[in-house]
Amino acid sequence: MSKTESPVNLLDAKETKGFLDRTVQEILLEDNHQLSHKFEDIRIWLGLFACAAAAVSHFFPLEFPHNIPVLLICCIIYFTCLGILELVALFWQRDTIVVTRPQKRNAGLIVESALPHFSTHYTLRVSLDLSQKQEPVAARVRLERLFDTRGSLHRATLAAQVRKLVQQCRSSKKGME
């Protein structure tokens, strides 16, 4: 058994969803899609900026009554950065598991997934990057089709579903042009 074929505890929805999400990412990488880390990089820089503001407020050389303006500015910067990070996580990134770079004549992909608690359906949504105005192509797959009774993944079934969704997404874009 390879790393991706190890048994999964199907009663743990978070573990199952995380395992399926990593496998979808591996399948896209096998198909020569390159991951885009642009938004992760922006989030890291925002986090570092917030930490820098916290460090400045903590280590500023003036004593307490005299450093209140610096503390206020640093707190405003810190909480603004954290607010932006939270808004990105809540509204943009919500269920996104993979963002790919645009390829030669193809736009990048945004892949989202959902596995609600106590559900037996794994939902995959594939859409073109944000510059395209297109509804996502979605598919719901029962976990019984993806795993055997021991919790081993039927990788070929998932790979076929992912490739089918990517193809449908690309073909629906061509139909819009």
Side-chain angles (χ1 to χ4, degrees):
M1 273 188 193
S2 72
K3 179 180 82 168
T4 57
E5 294 176 1
S6 62
V8 175
N9 180 5
L10 297 176
L11 299 176
D12 185 355
K14 283 190 171 196
E15 178 185 345
T16 304
K17 183 182 180 312
F19 182 79
L20 288 170
D21 292 349
R22 284 188 305 276
T23 306
V24 167
Q25 184 174 356
E26 290 172 6
I27 291 167
L28 289 171
L29 288 173
E30 289 170 5
D31 291 346
N32 296 323
H33 292 275
Q34 295 179 348
L35 300 182
S36 173
H37 299 288
K38 179 173 47 173
F39 292 105
E40 285 85 359
D41 293 343
I42 291 171
R43 289 177 47 217
I44 288 170
W45 282 109
L46 273 172
L48 286 173
F49 193 61
C51 289
V56 166
S57 71
H58 185 72
F59 295 113
F60 198 73
L62 290 177
E63 292 298 318
F64 173 64
H66 305 293
N67 68 350
I68 288 178
V70 173
L71 288 175
L72 288 175
I73 291 170
C74 289
C75 286
I76 290 170
I77 291 172
Y78 180 80
F79 287 112
T80 301
C81 290
L82 290 183
I84 291 170
L85 286 171
E86 189 65 29
L87 290 174
V88 166
L90 279 175
F91 295 110
W92 184 83
Q93 188 181 16
R94 198 168 32 193
D95 294 329
T96 303
I97 58 171
V98 176
V99 178
T100 66
R101 292 182 186 166
Q103 294 175 333
K104 295 176 185 171
R105 290 185 308 244
N106 293 325
L109 298 173
I110 298 174
V111 181
E112 301 172 351
S113 72
L115 180 62
H117 207 56
F118 303 117
S119 175
T120 60
H121 289 92
Y122 180 67
T123 305
L124 268 176
R125 287 181 301 280
V126 178
S127 61
L128 298 177
D129 65 5
L130 296 175
S131 64
Q132 308 290 322
K133 306 263 191 281
Q134 178 196 14
E135 288 294 315
V137 177
R140 286 180 67 185
V141 183
R142 291 186 61 86
L143 291 180
E144 291 85 18
R145 288 191 58 218
L146 297 176
F147 293 96
D148 63 12
T149 55
R150 293 176 294 131
S152 295
L153 177 67
H154 298 298
R155 187 180 171 95
T157 304
L158 182 60
Q161 192 67 48
V162 169
R163 290 179 179 115
K164 178 181 167 189
L165 282 174
V166 169
Q167 186 63 35
Q168 285 178 349
C169 185
R170 298 251 189 249
S171 65
S172 67
K173 181 208 177 223
K174 290 175 184 166
M176 290 173 40
E177 292 176 343

